[in-house]
Amino acid sequence: MNEGVQLRRAVCPGSFDPIHNGHLDVIGRAARLYDVVHVAVMINQSKQGLFTVEERIELIREATADYGNVEVEAFHGLLVDFCKQRDIPAIVKGLRAVSDFDYELQMAQMNRGLSGVETLFVPTIPTYSFLSSSLVKEVATWGGDVTHLLPAHVHAALIERLRAK
């Protein structure tokens, strides 16, 4: 882009353990609206993920490689600090149900109050309205077919990880 032109930036935060098609739908929609979309992989010291943060970052990078404007990195601490450090004015969050809205609205109001960062809510498409990483892992653990819910490379990594456990 031309020097001096302000890039429109947004962040899609989450734990992404693992990334699934619902996440990719939201990230892809954000990628069409913004010049740069940062996918911020949350580091939660109190939770043991199925995949390490580094593995999640690699899985996400591969899943979003075709977008061309997605950057993936880890963060810990306050999301608004991540946004301030990178001059990101907007957070994009997917909403599956009314219960998501109740929690996310409080977070959005807190984030705006702390830093002025806006939150945009994107309703998930009905195909993925039930989808969560926890549910995918649980179904796969018991032998259920989750092939259609994940990119192929993520599905392969998930099955391999579950076999190793």
Side-chain angles (χ1 to χ4, degrees), residues 15-16 66 89 92 128 134 145:
S15 56
F16 305 104
D66 289 344
V92 177
Y128 304 128
S134 298
D145 182 11

Side-chain angles (χ1 to χ4, degrees), residues 26 92-96 100 104 120-124:
V26 172
V92 177
K93 299 286 295 209
L95 294 178
R96 296 171 294 194
D100 285 349
E104 294 296 347
L120 295 130
F121 297 123
V122 177
T124 57

Side-chain angles (χ1 to χ4, degrees), residues 24-39:
L24 289 172
D25 175 57
V26 172
I27 293 166
R29 289 157 73 187
R32 288 190 295 276
L33 296 171
Y34 290 92
D35 298 316
V36 181
V37 174
H38 298 261
V39 175

Side-chain angles (χ1 to χ4, degrees), residues 26-122:
V26 172
I27 293 166
R29 289 157 73 187
R32 288 190 295 276
L33 296 171
Y34 290 92
D35 298 316
V36 181
V37 174
H38 298 261
V39 175
V41 180
M42 183 176 56
I43 299 171
N44 186 341
Q45 311 292 17
S46 64
K47 275 182 137 179
Q48 177 65 33
L50 183 62
F51 293 98
T52 67
V53 171
E54 294 77 19
E55 289 169 330
R56 287 183 250 165
I57 288 171
E58 284 308 309
L59 290 170
I60 297 166
R61 282 185 178 147
E62 187 173 341
T64 60
D66 289 344
Y67 297 135
N69 64 339
V70 173
E71 298 179 9
V72 186
E73 60 189 297
F75 89 94
H76 63 86
L78 295 176
L79 182 58
V80 293
D81 291 339
F82 179 93
C83 291
K84 278 191 229 174
Q85 293 164 1
R86 291 156 183 82
D87 195 26
I88 300 171
I91 301 166
V92 177
K93 299 286 295 209
L95 294 178
R96 296 171 294 194
V98 172
S99 57
D100 285 349
F101 180 77
D102 290 340
Y103 173 76
E104 294 296 347
L105 179 61
Q106 289 177 330
M107 292 298 296
Q109 291 169 333
M110 178 62 81
N111 288 337
R112 187 162 194 286
L114 288 172
S115 68
V117 173
E118 296 290 351
T119 301
L120 295 130
F121 297 123
V122 177

